[in-house]
Amino acid sequence: MILSDIYIHAENLCFSYREGNGKEENPALRDFSVEICEGEYVAVLGHNGSGKSTFAKLLNLILTPTSGHLTVGGVEVTREDLSDEEILNLRKNVGMVFQNPDNQLVATVVEQDVAFGPENLGLERAELRRRVDDALERVGMTQYAKHEPHRLSGGQKQRVAIAGVIAMMPKCIIFDESTAMLDPSGRREVLDTIRMLNRDYGMTVLNITHYMNEAAEADRVLVINDGRLLMDGTPDEIFARREELQAVGLEVPQCTELVHRLRGLGIALKGDGISTPDACADLILHAYEKLSK
Amino acid sequence: MDKLYLDHVSYVYSAGTPFEQKALDDVTLAIRGGCITGIIGHTGSGKSTMMQLLNGLAKPSSGKVLLDGYDINCDVNDVLEEWKKLPEYSGMSPRSAKKAIAAKIKKTRAKLCFRVGLVMQYPEYQLFEETVSRDIAFGPRNMGLAEEEIRQRVLEAAAFTDIGEDLLEKSPFDLSGGQKRRVALAGVIAMRPEVLVLDEPAAGLDPLGRTFIFEGIRNYQRKTGSTVLIVSHSMEDMARYCDDVIVMSGARVIRQGSREEVFAHVDELAETGLDIPQITHLMQLLRARGLPLPENIYTVDEAVEALRALLGLGAK
Amino acid sequence: MKGISFGQYYPADSVIHRLDPRFKVILTILYIVCTFLCKSLVGFAALTLSALVLIFISRIPLRIVLRSVRPLLMIIGFTFIINIFWSRGEQLITPEGWPIRIYAEGIWNAVYMFLRIFALITGTGIFLTYTTTPMDLTDAIESLLTPLKKLHVPVHVFAMMMSITLRFIPTLTEETEKIMNAQKARGANFTSGSLMQRAKALIPILIPLFVSAINRAVELSNAMECRCYHGGDGRTRLNVLRCNGRDWASLAIVVLFGAGILLLNGVGIGYTLG
């Protein structure tokens, strides 16, 4: 890994929520260190309250780390003398899509909502128009430009929210459980959009989720537990550690579960492909063909 | 007799306005008592409307909803002739009999929400009391039960949903998302409904939270022999917990029957925009590539069995 | 609930719909002034005619406009009666010796008051609420109040608050309905009992509603911060309000109309207000 490729570099990040009386509460994130490269598709797993959302909110300084160093795009954002302009620049570069689509749309018309971010950047009107049209086009919502957001389906609202973020042309987008409130088809819409942004536009993507099947689509998986980074690897590497995952309240995809149990019965299945049905099918087929010979 | 029966039920939203929309279109279905029935369908297929019809929160535009054979929306004139013959009304004059029958219908209706318990989507928003135990007691208190009985029901409901005693005196707003969900569920279970209807009970929860909720529901069903209806998008959960399954699409029921019968038509389900269990998808892939596997496998256990038979033979 | 569009905006394609919302706010104010300038019979005739013409141009069905008058009928009726019975004048209509004295001036006053209120409601309705989306209205008010920024009045903040309120009204309405249903399903009763009991029955709705509104506000402010919101400074807008000849022409027409009303006040037919 070449150093210049690293986009996000976190070193010993800590964060604690404070109670009303100012006394420190349970630390939500402890000594968290990770490097994320440009163009990576990273899934972040962890049960509710594991600290994964806190981690995301630190990356664009919605929360300020209690201690530690964070460098985003070569700029150290944990510096004491960070200017307001630098903060705005950070938020422009690291966009965020939240869980509840209703609570992140600001305007009563779709295109005006998408324009909200770029408007805050103070762009020219022609440039605003271009970006809004382009962003709506990318998420496939052009035909809804004049609609009222509250009449859209959950998946559509979430795509509008994504358009609002990509209209700022960020380098990285964080999805904070953005599929949790959607039905299967809405989830599919959002996941396809995420993948498209990563593959076709080279955006760095962090998908915070507790759906294992979603994590299987990423290039890399981080598992967070109790505010610490517990595992870091490819989906296959992570899902191979089934017992450890179960110990922290997570499960593995059904396919992975199946391979584990078959291996437990003494059936030889060689290979690492255990995260997706396609890879898993290859594995089983391979074993079957070997038997029939 | 079926516990619940929907007889040609239709429901129309905002009738007579440009926004008119059919949420249910001539739906007829039967729900067996004493088991868990899953209703699956994508958003807008009419599932949530159906829930509200079952306990009288909404009235069908046409058709009947029968609970134990009794039309829950019946009007005194519909039943007058039949009921007059019942021994309890036999000695009365026609006028007073009618009055008595009307009173009886009204009373039955008022009690309906306690017999058919409804757990809505994201039910944690309904919490409002100062303590968890008081919130769970809200339903039983509205039933007019004695304090001692209420206390007992709160404890019982907390036990079903695995809410520890240490949580009972806490504020519901201090709990985690999964715990709040369980408190909301307990608040309905505490009314001991004969029929428990749940809309996406595990939506948005992490795997452990999901398991807790479904185990709580199953516990309640097993111990009390009540009837449970779960509305969900997740066929993986349905395959794991339900005995019967109803599939809805475009305001209609497109399939109903036992889990095995319905899931045998898995391709058709995928067409209606539902996600089929990953394991079923894997089995389809394997069959397509020539492996002799049975058609309807939808849990990991079943897949393990089938593959062991196939691969294990040679291993010996 | 979902089916009902918020506000009274009535989508149609008319000249008035297409006017610059800032001009519409000004036109509304001018028109209101006209209704108060009006004093003579001919003037009121012209005013009533202008209101009817406005309805016609805006292509909004008459029954929709009349519907908005309905909630005000009580007030209109009340002022009508007060004017009839309490006005004193010279021309007594009721026979001498009756306990109630009604003067011709009283009847004129009542009729004029009625026409004035009718024109007032129609004018604001046609110029503003029926033909302007709430979003446009917010933009117009922000734009018109811009000069106040020099006096350090937080104009942008007010406008932002207004537009967020508009955005969340349907969401919170739906939420209220959901909470009500959930509590009804637990046997809550909102429709019977004494006033005190009913007020108490609202607690299970109000508390969850507040909690949810506060949560939404926190999440929304996070989301806005993430999208680089930092107040109105240096912010540009996608939708820029533009006025053209049509807007100036309509302004001229209304001003001329006002002048006309003043002139007509001099025509001495029928009763003229003092």
Side-chain angles (χ1 to χ4, degrees), chain A:
Chain A
M1 197 180 290
I2 322 162
L3 201 70
S4 67
D5 274 341
I6 292 172
Y7 188 64
I8 294 169
H9 179 94
E11 213 181 306
N12 301 325
L13 279 187
C14 294
F15 183 81
S16 309
Y17 288 96
R18 280 165 201 275
E19 285 248 293
N21 55 15
K23 144 189 117 184
E24 300 225 333
E25 259 286 272
N26 277 349
L29 213 63
R30 322 169 197 226
D31 276 336
F32 198 96
S33 299
V34 74
E35 282 172 353
I36 290 165
C37 295
E38 257 184 78
E40 253 190 316
Y41 183 172
V42 182
V44 183
L45 285 176
H47 62 82
N48 288 338
S50 59
K52 58 189 195 303
S53 277
T54 307
F55 171 59
K57 290 197 178 92
L58 290 178
L59 293 183
N60 60 0
L61 294 190
I62 291 300
L63 297 174
T64 316
T66 340
S67 68
H69 296 280
L70 176 66
T71 307
V72 178
V75 179
E76 194 191 332
V77 295
T78 35
R79 276 186 359 246
E80 290 283 326
D81 60 339
L82 196 75
S83 68
D84 287 351
E85 221 157 292
E86 279 173 305
I87 292 181
L88 282 185
N89 200 39
L90 169 69
R91 292 189 181 149
K92 178 203 143 329
N93 282 326
V94 181
M96 202 150 167
V97 180
F98 293 86
Q99 183 181 46
N100 189 337
D102 278 326
N103 296 352
Q104 51 190 320
L105 301 180
V106 187
T108 44
V109 180
V110 165
E111 64 170 16
Q112 291 189 7
D113 188 83
V114 176
F116 181 76
E119 283 176 345
N120 291 329
L121 301 177
L123 300 172
E124 293 288 316
R125 187 157 177 266
E127 175 68 8
L128 286 176
R129 187 76 261 167
R130 203 182 60 72
R131 287 205 185 183
V132 168
D133 292 344
D134 185 51
L136 282 172
E137 166 99 45
R138 280 201 222 172
V139 300
M141 290 293 291
T142 305
Q143 69 202 89
Y144 296 96
K146 305 279 183 197
H147 282 230
E148 292 169 71
H150 79 268
R151 289 188 197 282
L152 303 178
S153 75
Q156 288 172 331
K157 282 182 200 169
Q158 211 60 312
R159 271 149 70 199
V160 172
I162 295 174
V165 172
I166 58 182
M168 297 201 296
M169 299 198 166
K171 298 237 165 52
C172 169
I173 304 189
I174 301 165
F175 294 88
D176 190 359
E177 297 193 27
S178 306
T179 59
M181 296 181 82
L182 304 179
D183 62 4
S185 54
R187 196 175 304 150
R188 197 65 261 162
E189 287 170 33
V190 170
L191 283 175
D192 288 345
T193 312
I194 294 178
R195 204 195 324 226
M196 178 268 295
L197 291 174
N198 176 257
R199 294 243 170 107
D200 303 347
Y201 297 91
M203 269 184 208
T204 311
V205 169
L206 259 77
N207 184 19
I208 296 168
T209 179
H210 44 234
Y211 289 106
M212 304 302 134
N213 298 351
E214 283 184 20
E217 292 190 12
D219 305 329
R220 179 177 165 196
V221 179
L222 304 179
V223 180
I224 298 184
N225 186 51
D226 203 15
R228 290 196 173 88
L229 183 60
L230 190 70
M231 301 179 207
D232 179 357
T234 65
D236 283 340
E237 284 165 11
I238 299 294
F239 291 136
R241 299 159 74 177
R242 182 176 64 137
E243 280 84 11
E244 287 172 73
L245 285 172
Q246 280 166 346
V248 298
L250 297 173
E251 57 188 13
V252 293
Q254 286 190 324
C255 287
T256 316
E257 180 73 23
L258 175 70
V259 174
H260 276 294
R261 303 239 317 244
L262 289 174
R263 280 180 182 155
L265 289 168
I267 296 167
L269 294 172
K270 289 205 185 76
D272 304 323
I274 51 172
S275 312
T276 61
D278 290 290
C280 215
D282 286 340
L283 213 70
I284 293 169
L285 224 77
H286 189 68
Y288 181 71
E289 275 158 11
K290 227 170 159 186
L291 275 176
S292 2
K293 269 175 201 167

Side-chain angles (χ1 to χ4, degrees), chain B:
Chain B
M1 191 195 303
D2 296 310
K3 185 73 190 171
L4 276 163
Y5 188 77
L6 266 64
D7 188 9
H8 297 285
V9 168
S10 294
Y11 188 86
V12 184
Y13 272 112
S14 318
T17 73
F19 300 103
E20 180 172 312
Q21 200 191 344
K22 244 186 185 157
L24 289 177
D25 186 10
D26 195 25
V27 166
T28 296
L29 60 84
I31 290 155
R32 278 199 293 154
C35 64
I36 304 185
T37 302
I39 304 179
I40 47 181
H42 57 86
T43 314
S45 60
K47 299 170 303 181
S48 300
T49 308
M50 192 152 94
M51 288 184 56
Q52 302 196 3
L53 292 178
L54 297 180
N55 82 339
L57 269 181
K59 275 188 192 173
S61 308
S62 68
K64 282 181 185 172
V65 180
L66 305 175
L67 174 63
D68 287 331
Y70 170 82
D71 177 2
I72 62 168
N73 297 305
C74 69
D75 183 73
V76 64
N77 295 316
D78 301 340
V79 294
L80 191 60
E81 287 311 310
E82 211 176 312
W83 286 23
K84 266 201 302 207
K85 294 173 201 140
L86 293 174
E88 45 182 315
Y89 306 109
S90 56
M92 296 182 183
S93 71
R95 246 189 91 187
S96 53
K98 189 173 175 181
K99 228 172 158 183
I101 290 171
K104 171 114 187 182
I105 289 175
K106 206 177 159 196
K107 212 169 148 195
T108 314
R109 242 191 105 73
K111 280 190 181 160
L112 196 62
C113 68
F114 305 123
R115 294 181 61 197
V116 181
L118 218 60
V119 181
M120 312 264 199
Q121 218 169 43
Y122 300 102
E124 50 273 26
Y125 63 72
Q126 72 186 28
L127 304 177
F128 71 99
E129 276 284 10
E130 280 165 52
T131 65
V132 168
S133 64
R134 287 182 55 154
D135 208 288
I136 300 176
F138 182 67
R141 192 153 284 144
N142 285 331
M143 295 169 84
L145 300 174
E147 279 306 310
E148 182 49 34
E149 172 79 14
I150 292 176
R151 213 181 59 83
Q152 211 177 338
R153 288 201 175 195
V154 169
L155 291 177
E156 179 194 273
F160 276 130
T161 49
D162 211 12
I163 296 166
E165 281 201 29
D166 51 319
L167 292 184
L168 285 178
E169 292 314 310
K170 275 196 176 176
S171 159
F173 300 108
D174 288 341
L175 306 183
S176 77
Q179 288 170 330
K180 278 185 196 165
R181 183 75 57 89
R182 267 143 57 199
V183 172
L185 175 61
V188 176
I189 281 181
M191 302 190 296
R192 275 192 211 147
E194 304 155 39
V195 182
L196 180 64
V197 189
L198 307 107
D199 192 356
E200 291 287 346
L205 296 182
D206 62 10
L208 204 62
R210 295 180 84 83
T211 311
F212 263 124
I213 287 285
F214 279 115
E215 290 301 327
I217 295 166
R218 186 144 73 177
N219 253 339
Y220 177 72
Q221 197 277 326
R222 294 239 171 104
K223 295 247 171 69
T224 59
S226 53
T227 306
V228 173
L229 246 82
I230 304 176
V231 174
S232 175
H233 303 300
S234 164
M235 285 177 58
E236 287 190 19
D237 290 337
M238 297 278 111
R240 213 138 115 196
Y241 295 100
C242 295
D243 306 303
D244 287 355
V245 174
I246 293 166
V247 186
M248 298 200 60
S249 178
R252 285 171 171 275
V253 169
I254 57 168
R255 205 160 276 285
Q256 57 181 315
S258 71
R259 188 181 68 153
E260 287 75 12
E261 285 162 15
V262 171
F263 280 14
H265 303 272
V266 83
D267 297 332
E268 176 188 294
L269 299 182
E271 272 168 35
T272 63
L274 296 164
D275 62 340
I276 58 172
Q278 198 188 33
I279 203 78
T280 312
H281 180 50
L282 174 65
M283 293 299 125
Q284 280 178 325
L285 285 176
L286 289 172
R287 269 206 313 280
R289 290 165 71 171
L291 247 62
L293 285 163
E295 283 215 355
N296 44 346
I297 289 175
Y298 28 77
T299 63
V300 177
D301 290 339
E302 290 159 342
V304 169
E305 276 312 305
L307 282 170
R308 184 164 73 155
L310 199 67
L311 299 172
L313 280 176
K316 274 173 199 164

